[in-house]
Short mmCIF file of all heavy atoms in Angstrom, two decimals:
data_model
loop_
_atom_site.label_atom_id
_atom_site.label_comp_id
_atom_site.label_asym_id
_atom_site.label_seq_id
_atom_site.Cartn_x
_atom_site.Cartn_y
_atom_site.Cartn_z
N PRO A 1 -2.49 -22.50 -9.49
CA PRO A 1 -2.68 -23.73 -10.30
C PRO A 1 -2.08 -23.62 -11.69
O PRO A 1 -1.57 -24.60 -12.25
CB PRO A 1 -4.21 -23.86 -10.35
CG PRO A 1 -4.70 -23.16 -9.13
CD PRO A 1 -3.74 -22.01 -8.92
N GLU A 2 -2.10 -22.42 -12.28
CA GLU A 2 -1.61 -22.25 -13.65
C GLU A 2 -0.16 -21.80 -13.73
O GLU A 2 0.37 -21.61 -14.81
CB GLU A 2 -2.49 -21.25 -14.40
CG GLU A 2 -2.49 -19.85 -13.80
CD GLU A 2 -3.55 -19.65 -12.72
OE1 GLU A 2 -3.82 -20.60 -11.97
OE2 GLU A 2 -4.10 -18.53 -12.65
N GLY A 3 0.49 -21.64 -12.56
CA GLY A 3 1.89 -21.20 -12.57
C GLY A 3 2.23 -20.45 -11.29
O GLY A 3 1.88 -20.88 -10.19
N TRP A 4 2.91 -19.32 -11.43
CA TRP A 4 3.28 -18.47 -10.30
C TRP A 4 2.79 -17.06 -10.57
O TRP A 4 2.89 -16.56 -11.69
CB TRP A 4 4.81 -18.45 -10.11
CG TRP A 4 5.38 -19.76 -9.68
CD1 TRP A 4 5.67 -20.83 -10.47
CD2 TRP A 4 5.72 -20.14 -8.34
NE1 TRP A 4 6.17 -21.86 -9.72
CE2 TRP A 4 6.23 -21.46 -8.41
CE3 TRP A 4 5.67 -19.50 -7.11
CZ2 TRP A 4 6.67 -22.15 -7.29
CZ3 TRP A 4 6.11 -20.17 -5.98
CH2 TRP A 4 6.59 -21.49 -6.07
N GLU A 5 2.26 -16.41 -9.53
CA GLU A 5 1.79 -15.04 -9.67
C GLU A 5 2.69 -14.11 -8.87
O GLU A 5 3.05 -14.40 -7.73
CB GLU A 5 0.36 -14.88 -9.20
CG GLU A 5 -0.19 -13.48 -9.44
CD GLU A 5 -1.62 -13.32 -8.95
OE1 GLU A 5 -1.96 -13.94 -7.92
OE2 GLU A 5 -2.37 -12.57 -9.58
N LEU A 6 3.03 -12.98 -9.48
CA LEU A 6 3.82 -11.95 -8.81
C LEU A 6 3.02 -10.66 -8.80
O LEU A 6 2.47 -10.25 -9.83
CB LEU A 6 5.14 -11.73 -9.55
CG LEU A 6 6.05 -10.63 -8.99
CD1 LEU A 6 6.62 -11.05 -7.64
CD2 LEU A 6 7.17 -10.30 -9.96
N LEU A 7 2.96 -10.01 -7.64
CA LEU A 7 2.31 -8.72 -7.52
C LEU A 7 3.39 -7.65 -7.36
O LEU A 7 4.05 -7.58 -6.32
CB LEU A 7 1.34 -8.70 -6.33
CG LEU A 7 0.15 -9.65 -6.41
CD1 LEU A 7 -0.66 -9.60 -5.13
CD2 LEU A 7 -0.73 -9.32 -7.62
N VAL A 8 3.57 -6.83 -8.38
CA VAL A 8 4.55 -5.76 -8.32
C VAL A 8 3.94 -4.62 -7.51
O VAL A 8 2.90 -4.07 -7.86
CB VAL A 8 4.94 -5.28 -9.73
CG1 VAL A 8 5.94 -4.13 -9.65
CG2 VAL A 8 5.53 -6.44 -10.54
N GLN A 9 4.59 -4.27 -6.41
CA GLN A 9 4.06 -3.28 -5.48
C GLN A 9 4.58 -1.88 -5.84
O GLN A 9 5.67 -1.47 -5.45
CB GLN A 9 4.48 -3.64 -4.05
CG GLN A 9 4.05 -5.02 -3.61
CD GLN A 9 2.54 -5.13 -3.43
OE1 GLN A 9 1.86 -4.12 -3.21
NE2 GLN A 9 2.01 -6.34 -3.55
N LEU A 10 3.79 -1.14 -6.60
CA LEU A 10 4.23 0.14 -7.12
C LEU A 10 4.55 1.15 -6.01
O LEU A 10 5.56 1.85 -6.08
CB LEU A 10 3.17 0.73 -8.05
CG LEU A 10 3.04 0.09 -9.44
CD1 LEU A 10 1.87 0.72 -10.19
CD2 LEU A 10 4.31 0.27 -10.24
N ARG A 11 3.69 1.24 -5.00
CA ARG A 11 3.91 2.27 -3.97
C ARG A 11 5.16 1.98 -3.16
O ARG A 11 5.97 2.89 -2.91
CB ARG A 11 2.70 2.37 -3.05
CG ARG A 11 2.87 3.42 -1.93
CD ARG A 11 1.60 3.65 -1.18
NE ARG A 11 0.57 4.25 -2.04
CZ ARG A 11 -0.72 4.32 -1.71
NH1 ARG A 11 -1.14 3.80 -0.57
NH2 ARG A 11 -1.58 4.89 -2.53
N ASP A 12 5.35 0.72 -2.74
CA ASP A 12 6.55 0.37 -1.99
C ASP A 12 7.80 0.63 -2.83
O ASP A 12 8.82 1.13 -2.32
CB ASP A 12 6.51 -1.09 -1.56
CG ASP A 12 5.43 -1.36 -0.52
OD1 ASP A 12 4.94 -0.38 0.09
OD2 ASP A 12 5.09 -2.54 -0.32
N ASP A 13 7.72 0.30 -4.10
CA ASP A 13 8.88 0.49 -4.97
C ASP A 13 9.17 1.97 -5.20
O ASP A 13 10.34 2.38 -5.28
CB ASP A 13 8.66 -0.22 -6.31
CG ASP A 13 8.63 -1.74 -6.15
OD1 ASP A 13 8.94 -2.23 -5.05
OD2 ASP A 13 8.27 -2.43 -7.13
N PHE A 14 8.11 2.79 -5.29
CA PHE A 14 8.34 4.22 -5.46
C PHE A 14 9.10 4.79 -4.26
O PHE A 14 9.99 5.64 -4.44
CB PHE A 14 7.03 4.98 -5.63
CG PHE A 14 7.23 6.48 -5.63
CD1 PHE A 14 7.74 7.12 -6.74
CD2 PHE A 14 6.94 7.24 -4.49
CE1 PHE A 14 7.97 8.49 -6.73
CE2 PHE A 14 7.16 8.60 -4.48
CZ PHE A 14 7.67 9.23 -5.60
N ARG A 15 8.80 4.35 -3.08
CA ARG A 15 9.52 4.84 -1.89
C ARG A 15 11.01 4.50 -2.00
O ARG A 15 11.87 5.31 -1.65
CB ARG A 15 8.91 4.23 -0.63
CG ARG A 15 7.48 4.68 -0.35
CD ARG A 15 7.02 4.19 1.01
NE ARG A 15 5.63 4.57 1.27
CZ ARG A 15 4.63 3.71 1.42
NH1 ARG A 15 4.87 2.41 1.36
NH2 ARG A 15 3.40 4.14 1.67
N ILE A 16 11.30 3.29 -2.47
CA ILE A 16 12.70 2.88 -2.65
C ILE A 16 13.38 3.77 -3.70
O ILE A 16 14.52 4.22 -3.53
CB ILE A 16 12.78 1.40 -3.05
CG1 ILE A 16 12.28 0.51 -1.90
CG2 ILE A 16 14.21 1.02 -3.43
CD1 ILE A 16 12.15 -0.95 -2.27
N ILE A 17 12.66 4.04 -4.78
CA ILE A 17 13.22 4.85 -5.87
C ILE A 17 13.47 6.28 -5.39
O ILE A 17 14.53 6.87 -5.67
CB ILE A 17 12.27 4.82 -7.07
CG1 ILE A 17 12.27 3.41 -7.69
CG2 ILE A 17 12.67 5.86 -8.11
CD1 ILE A 17 11.12 3.17 -8.65
N ALA A 18 12.51 6.86 -4.68
CA ALA A 18 12.69 8.22 -4.16
C ALA A 18 13.89 8.29 -3.22
O ALA A 18 14.66 9.26 -3.26
CB ALA A 18 11.42 8.68 -3.46
N ARG A 19 14.06 7.25 -2.41
CA ARG A 19 15.22 7.19 -1.52
C ARG A 19 16.51 7.12 -2.31
O ARG A 19 17.52 7.72 -1.94
CB ARG A 19 15.11 5.97 -0.59
CG ARG A 19 14.90 6.35 0.85
CD ARG A 19 14.98 5.22 1.83
NE ARG A 19 14.90 3.87 1.36
CZ ARG A 19 13.80 3.13 1.39
NH1 ARG A 19 12.67 3.64 1.83
NH2 ARG A 19 13.81 1.89 0.96
N SER A 20 16.49 6.40 -3.41
CA SER A 20 17.69 6.25 -4.24
C SER A 20 18.10 7.59 -4.83
O SER A 20 19.29 7.92 -4.89
CB SER A 20 17.44 5.23 -5.36
OG SER A 20 17.17 3.95 -4.82
N TYR A 21 17.13 8.38 -5.28
CA TYR A 21 17.46 9.72 -5.80
C TYR A 21 18.09 10.57 -4.70
O TYR A 21 19.07 11.28 -4.93
CB TYR A 21 16.20 10.40 -6.33
CG TYR A 21 15.90 10.10 -7.78
CD1 TYR A 21 15.17 8.97 -8.14
CD2 TYR A 21 16.35 10.94 -8.80
CE1 TYR A 21 14.89 8.68 -9.47
CE2 TYR A 21 16.07 10.67 -10.13
CZ TYR A 21 15.35 9.53 -10.46
OH TYR A 21 15.08 9.25 -11.78
N ALA A 22 17.51 10.49 -3.49
CA ALA A 22 18.02 11.31 -2.39
C ALA A 22 19.42 10.86 -1.98
O ALA A 22 20.32 11.69 -1.75
CB ALA A 22 17.07 11.22 -1.20
N GLU A 23 19.64 9.55 -1.90
CA GLU A 23 20.94 9.04 -1.47
C GLU A 23 22.03 9.39 -2.47
O GLU A 23 23.19 9.61 -2.09
CB GLU A 23 20.87 7.53 -1.27
CG GLU A 23 20.04 7.12 -0.05
CD GLU A 23 19.75 5.63 -0.02
OE1 GLU A 23 20.11 4.93 -1.02
OE2 GLU A 23 19.17 5.16 0.97
N GLN A 24 21.69 9.44 -3.75
CA GLN A 24 22.67 9.78 -4.78
C GLN A 24 22.70 11.28 -5.08
O GLN A 24 23.41 11.71 -5.99
CB GLN A 24 22.39 8.99 -6.05
CG GLN A 24 22.48 7.48 -5.85
CD GLN A 24 22.38 6.71 -7.15
OE1 GLN A 24 22.93 7.12 -8.16
NE2 GLN A 24 21.69 5.58 -7.12
N GLU A 25 21.90 12.04 -4.31
CA GLU A 25 21.86 13.50 -4.43
C GLU A 25 21.56 13.93 -5.87
O GLU A 25 22.18 14.86 -6.42
CB GLU A 25 23.17 14.12 -3.93
CG GLU A 25 23.45 13.83 -2.46
CD GLU A 25 24.73 14.48 -1.96
OE1 GLU A 25 25.52 14.95 -2.79
OE2 GLU A 25 24.93 14.49 -0.73
N LEU A 26 20.60 13.26 -6.49
CA LEU A 26 20.18 13.60 -7.84
C LEU A 26 19.01 14.59 -7.78
O LEU A 26 18.15 14.48 -6.89
CB LEU A 26 19.75 12.34 -8.60
CG LEU A 26 20.83 11.29 -8.84
CD1 LEU A 26 20.23 10.04 -9.45
CD2 LEU A 26 21.92 11.85 -9.76
N PRO A 27 18.97 15.54 -8.69
CA PRO A 27 17.82 16.46 -8.71
C PRO A 27 16.55 15.70 -9.04
O PRO A 27 16.48 14.97 -10.03
CB PRO A 27 18.20 17.46 -9.82
CG PRO A 27 19.18 16.73 -10.68
CD PRO A 27 19.94 15.82 -9.77
N ALA A 28 15.53 15.86 -8.19
CA ALA A 28 14.33 15.04 -8.35
C ALA A 28 13.09 15.84 -7.99
O ALA A 28 12.33 15.46 -7.11
CB ALA A 28 14.44 13.78 -7.50
N GLN A 29 12.88 16.95 -8.68
CA GLN A 29 11.68 17.75 -8.42
C GLN A 29 10.43 16.95 -8.78
O GLN A 29 9.44 16.95 -8.04
CB GLN A 29 11.74 19.05 -9.21
CG GLN A 29 10.67 20.05 -8.81
CD GLN A 29 10.93 21.42 -9.40
OE1 GLN A 29 11.87 21.61 -10.18
NE2 GLN A 29 10.10 22.40 -9.06
N PHE A 30 10.50 16.28 -9.93
CA PHE A 30 9.42 15.37 -10.33
C PHE A 30 10.08 14.05 -10.74
O PHE A 30 11.04 14.06 -11.53
CB PHE A 30 8.61 15.94 -11.49
CG PHE A 30 8.02 17.28 -11.22
CD1 PHE A 30 8.56 18.42 -11.79
CD2 PHE A 30 6.92 17.40 -10.38
CE1 PHE A 30 8.02 19.68 -11.53
CE2 PHE A 30 6.37 18.65 -10.12
CZ PHE A 30 6.92 19.79 -10.69
N ILE A 31 9.57 12.94 -10.24
CA ILE A 31 10.11 11.63 -10.58
C ILE A 31 9.12 10.89 -11.46
O ILE A 31 7.94 10.74 -11.11
CB ILE A 31 10.40 10.79 -9.31
CG1 ILE A 31 11.45 11.50 -8.45
CG2 ILE A 31 10.89 9.39 -9.70
CD1 ILE A 31 11.76 10.76 -7.15
N CYS A 32 9.59 10.44 -12.61
CA CYS A 32 8.74 9.80 -13.60
C CYS A 32 9.24 8.37 -13.85
O CYS A 32 10.43 8.09 -13.74
CB CYS A 32 8.78 10.57 -14.93
SG CYS A 32 8.64 12.37 -14.74
N ALA A 33 8.31 7.50 -14.22
CA ALA A 33 8.66 6.12 -14.58
C ALA A 33 8.49 5.95 -16.08
O ALA A 33 7.39 6.17 -16.61
CB ALA A 33 7.80 5.12 -13.82
N ASP A 34 9.55 5.57 -16.76
CA ASP A 34 9.49 5.37 -18.20
C ASP A 34 8.98 3.97 -18.52
O ASP A 34 8.08 3.80 -19.34
CB ASP A 34 10.88 5.59 -18.81
CG ASP A 34 10.88 5.38 -20.30
OD1 ASP A 34 9.99 5.96 -20.96
OD2 ASP A 34 11.72 4.63 -20.81
N SER A 35 9.55 2.95 -17.86
CA SER A 35 9.12 1.58 -18.11
C SER A 35 9.57 0.69 -16.97
O SER A 35 10.42 1.07 -16.15
CB SER A 35 9.69 1.05 -19.44
OG SER A 35 11.11 0.98 -19.36
N LEU A 36 8.98 -0.49 -16.92
CA LEU A 36 9.38 -1.52 -15.97
C LEU A 36 9.85 -2.74 -16.75
O LEU A 36 9.27 -3.06 -17.82
CB LEU A 36 8.21 -1.94 -15.07
CG LEU A 36 7.91 -1.10 -13.83
CD1 LEU A 36 7.45 0.30 -14.22
CD2 LEU A 36 6.84 -1.80 -12.98
N GLN A 37 10.88 -3.40 -16.27
CA GLN A 37 11.32 -4.65 -16.87
C GLN A 37 11.39 -5.72 -15.79
O GLN A 37 12.04 -5.54 -14.77
CB GLN A 37 12.70 -4.51 -17.53
CG GLN A 37 13.22 -5.83 -18.12
CD GLN A 37 14.48 -5.66 -18.92
OE1 GLN A 37 14.57 -4.78 -19.77
NE2 GLN A 37 15.47 -6.49 -18.65
N LEU A 38 10.72 -6.83 -16.04
CA LEU A 38 10.75 -7.97 -15.13
C LEU A 38 11.67 -9.02 -15.71
O LEU A 38 11.51 -9.44 -16.86
CB LEU A 38 9.34 -8.54 -14.96
CG LEU A 38 9.22 -9.87 -14.22
CD1 LEU A 38 9.68 -9.74 -12.77
CD2 LEU A 38 7.79 -10.40 -14.29
N ASP A 39 12.68 -9.44 -14.93
CA ASP A 39 13.60 -10.50 -15.32
C ASP A 39 13.40 -11.69 -14.38
O ASP A 39 13.60 -11.56 -13.16
CB ASP A 39 15.05 -10.03 -15.25
CG ASP A 39 15.36 -8.94 -16.26
OD1 ASP A 39 15.02 -9.12 -17.44
OD2 ASP A 39 15.93 -7.91 -15.86
#
């Protein structure tokens, strides 16, 4: 009623991010999130 709601799915997104590190063969012993930006 007041607009649009978006639920950012952290766990699903982390899986995508971990895959991205693996696909680009980046060292990823520990993966950290600095910030999120919504556009």
